[in-house]
Amino acid sequence: MNRRQAPYDLLCDPDHLLRAWRQVRRNRGAAGVDMVTLAEFERELMSNLNALAARLHEGRYYPMPARMFEMKKAGGGARKLAILSVEDRIVQRAALDAIEPVFESVFFDCSFGFRPNRNVQMAIGRALSYRAAGDIYVVDGDIADCFGSLDHDLLMEWVSARIRDKRLLGLIRMWLDCGQVLPKQDSAEGDEKSPGLPGIVERLGDYATGSVNAAMSHLLDKGGYGYGHYAGRGRAAYDDDEAIDDATAEETISRAARKEALRRLGRDGLLLLLTSATRARRWLTPATLAITGAAVLATAAYPKASRYLREKLSARRSGGVGALQGSPLSSLLSNVYLHEFDRAMMKAGLHLARYADDWIICCRDEQSAHAALELAARELHRLKLQLNTEKTRITRFDQGLEFLGYRFHPHLIAASPVPEDERASGVDWRHSASVRLRQMPSQLRPVTASMTERAKARTQEGLTRLKALAQRLRKGGDE
């Protein structure tokens, strides 16, 4: 029997959280929606980490909404980035350290983005090796809004194929949903900080669902604390072959466990009120409190009712899309998602080099390049992704190909970084050159007109002088 420590148990270890904290501090970053900075968190570092580990251990950790902002991309357009709270960054970093080795063992060699001991230069080197082997044509591909289009159900299916810890799976699902809890909406006063009524209602629902789910998991699963649709995994050492028997756990529920669950639920409810106090007040009517209280008491008294309520409340949402770009875990999740694209390209024997959502396929001839592009578009459609038709094209290495900030030499097997001034312009250098060429006649027209006028004047002046000279010579000849 193969027993090993569950990945989620690492998240509950303060020492593991401390290592994750050091990485978060090294990456720096602004405060999240709770406005707690890195410096403020560090003042009582071990106390904060121990409290965070305790909440994770007891199933009382819930992610906060992210602050969103837009950053202009070098190639035009804008990229939406998220700023998580310091606590959420620490927990996500700890989760990344726990599960990244699992996926690194299965990722293909054609993937270079956001992976340990891999970088842009290695991706460029792989493209140059394909060129040296005789590939001339290149499918230069780009995925339209890749991070914002990741299908949650597909992603969780692939994650759960490698990660069996249901508590961690539920936590990842909550992180995915967190990006949709407080969507950016325009308020009546134009204040972007106001999340709007739909976002507040969604967040209240998420907090309430999570709180009740944690309590129900404590009641139904001996020592277990689940999250969302994946609730129910116990705290015992991770085992590939064993499953928790809910019926046995149900029989061992004690009154003390019920009281603890109710105490935890009340504490989480207080957190909910503090988080959305100004906006939640209008919904906390006597009727809603009475209904909620009756449901909690019923679930505490009758385990079967608690199981039914937990299943209803923690039912997995379908149709969710998008991952928060900028969070510690988002890059790994995107690589897990695009691993299926890599698999299809490798199975077809194509020469792929991918860095996150930027990729190229190197081919020997133009016909093979068109076939590769057709296959790539078909596979991305299967993954519920789309090609960016404006940026995807078939080109050649000797036509000034640019990839990941490098420009390939037209005649040599070499590439060099694109100059910073051309990157900052936000316009492709070929497009910029063609625009300048088209604008050149209109720019030269005033100059040529002035030069023409001066030439005419000088010619007229010269003709006048020649005429006068001819007249003088004629007069001299007559004398």
Side-chain angles (χ1 to χ4, degrees):
M1 186 176 299
N2 180 27
R3 287 182 176 273
R4 63 181 183 272
Q5 188 178 22
Y8 187 86
D9 290 335
L10 291 175
L11 274 62
C12 305
D13 183 359
D15 293 334
H16 188 74
L17 293 178
L18 179 60
R19 290 191 291 271
W21 152 257
R22 290 169 180 163
Q23 186 62 42
V24 169
R25 182 180 57 183
R26 188 178 301 114
N27 294 336
R28 296 184 293 183
V33 70
D34 58 354
M35 303 310 294
V36 176
T37 64
L38 291 171
E40 292 173 343
F41 189 89
E42 193 173 16
R43 289 173 189 166
E44 299 181 4
L45 178 60
M46 293 313 301
S47 175
N48 290 330
L49 291 180
N50 287 330
L52 179 58
R55 296 209 312 274
L56 286 164
H57 184 73
E58 298 171 5
R60 294 186 295 105
Y61 163 80
Y62 305 110
M64 300 191 71
R67 290 175 57 193
M68 305 297 297
F69 73 99
E70 292 185 351
M71 183 182 70
K72 293 183 178 180
K73 295 193 291 187
R79 176 183 288 109
K80 292 184 178 180
L81 297 177
I83 301 179
L84 304 184
S85 67
V86 176
E87 281 193 350
D88 291 340
R89 287 193 299 236
I90 293 173
V91 179
Q92 283 206 21
R93 181 67 208 191
L96 176 65
D97 294 339
I99 67 176
E100 188 176 48
V102 177
F103 292 102
E104 276 295 317
S105 63
V106 297
F107 283 161
F108 289 102
D109 195 43
C110 61
S111 172
F112 297 90
F114 307 108
R115 294 181 58 189
N117 303 318
R118 287 176 169 257
N119 52 38
V120 171
Q121 290 74 21
M122 295 177 67
I124 298 299
R126 178 62 56 84
L128 291 175
S129 67
Y130 289 146
R131 185 182 186 183
D135 289 345
I136 301 174
Y137 286 84
V138 178
V139 180
D140 185 6
D142 184 80
I143 303 174
D145 189 21
C146 180
F147 280 85
S149 304
L150 302 183
D151 184 88
H152 291 181
D153 293 338
L154 288 178
L155 178 57
M156 290 307 303
E157 177 183 344
W158 295 322
V159 172
S160 60
R162 305 295 303 179
I163 304 298
R164 301 283 298 278
D165 191 329
K166 292 186 177 182
R167 294 169 298 168
L168 184 55
L169 291 174
L171 196 55
I172 293 174
R173 185 79 195 203
M174 284 175 55
W175 280 327
L176 290 174
D177 292 340
C178 183
Q180 300 180 1
V181 171
L182 286 180
K184 181 179 178 181
Q185 300 186 15
D186 295 328
S187 61
E189 298 80 13
D191 183 7
E192 294 184 354
K193 295 182 180 179
S194 175
L197 179 60
I200 289 296
V201 172
E202 184 76 9
R203 186 180 180 191
L204 291 172
D206 280 357
Y207 269 110
T209 298
S211 298
V212 174
N213 175 67
M216 295 308 102
S217 297
H218 185 90
L219 290 171
L220 292 177
D221 301 317
K222 183 180 181 181
Y225 302 92
Y227 282 95
H229 176 77
Y230 299 95
R233 186 66 180 177
R235 285 181 296 175
Y238 179 65
D239 186 2
D240 287 335
D241 304 317
E242 289 189 359
I244 292 181
D245 187 353
D246 282 345
T248 302
E250 184 175 331
E251 295 174 358
T252 60
I253 294 176
S254 63
R255 291 185 179 181
R258 298 176 189 177
K259 291 181 180 179
E260 170 63 20
L262 292 176
R263 184 179 66 84
R264 186 182 309 119
L265 183 59
R267 193 162 52 191
D268 291 340
L270 178 60
L271 174 62
L272 168 63
L273 293 177
L274 292 177
T275 305
S276 303
T278 57
R279 297 181 179 272
R281 194 176 295 119
R282 71 187 67 177
W283 295 300
L284 297 182
T285 62
T288 57
L289 289 176
I291 295 174
T292 304
V296 171
L297 290 177
T299 55
Y302 301 100
K304 292 184 179 181
S306 67
R307 171 182 292 180
Y308 175 80
L309 185 59
R310 185 186 69 179
E311 291 176 352
K312 291 299 181 181
L313 289 175
S314 64
R316 181 176 61 179
R317 299 175 190 169
S318 60
V321 294
L324 292 174
Q325 190 170 1
S327 64
L329 202 59
S330 60
S331 297
L332 175 62
L333 294 179
S334 69
N335 277 331
V336 171
Y337 201 95
L338 293 177
H339 175 69
E340 299 302 314
F341 175 75
D342 298 343
R343 185 197 305 276
M345 299 300 103
M346 293 296 99
K347 185 177 180 180
L350 298 179
H351 292 171
L352 171 69
R354 182 178 63 82
Y355 191 96
D357 57 344
D358 293 325
W359 52 271
I360 59 173
I361 299 176
C362 304
C363 306
R364 292 293 179 95
D365 51 63
E366 187 174 4
Q367 182 178 0
S368 300
H370 282 284
L373 177 58
E374 182 179 352
L375 175 62
R378 187 165 60 248
E379 288 300 320
L380 289 176
H381 180 73
R382 183 178 66 86
L383 300 178
K384 300 184 180 181
L385 299 174
Q386 292 183 349
L387 282 173
N388 187 335
T389 56
E390 296 181 357
K391 296 183 179 181
T392 301
R393 60 185 182 132
I394 294 178
T395 183
R396 295 165 55 106
F397 277 111
D398 57 5
Q399 292 179 345
L401 171 68
E402 289 185 13
F403 181 55
L404 302 178
Y406 279 75
R407 182 177 300 158
F408 290 82
H409 195 281
H411 308 296
L412 303 177
I413 302 178
S416 58
V418 178
E420 289 293 337
D421 56 346
E422 295 186 17
R423 292 190 200 179
S425 63
V427 181
D428 183 80
W429 71 276
R430 294 176 299 275
H431 175 71
S432 178
S434 63
V435 170
R436 287 197 295 269
L437 288 173
R438 289 195 299 269
Q439 294 176 347
M440 191 173 293
S442 61
Q443 295 172 349
L444 291 178
R445 193 173 295 116
V447 180
T448 55
S450 176
M451 292 175 62
T452 302
E453 292 297 329
R454 288 199 298 269
K456 288 181 178 179
R458 291 178 181 178
T459 302
Q460 187 65 35
E461 183 181 356
L463 291 174
T464 302
R465 290 180 179 179
L466 287 174
K467 186 177 181 180
L469 178 61
Q471 290 177 354
R472 286 197 301 270
L473 292 174
R474 192 178 299 116
K475 290 179 182 180
D478 293 340
E479 294 177 354

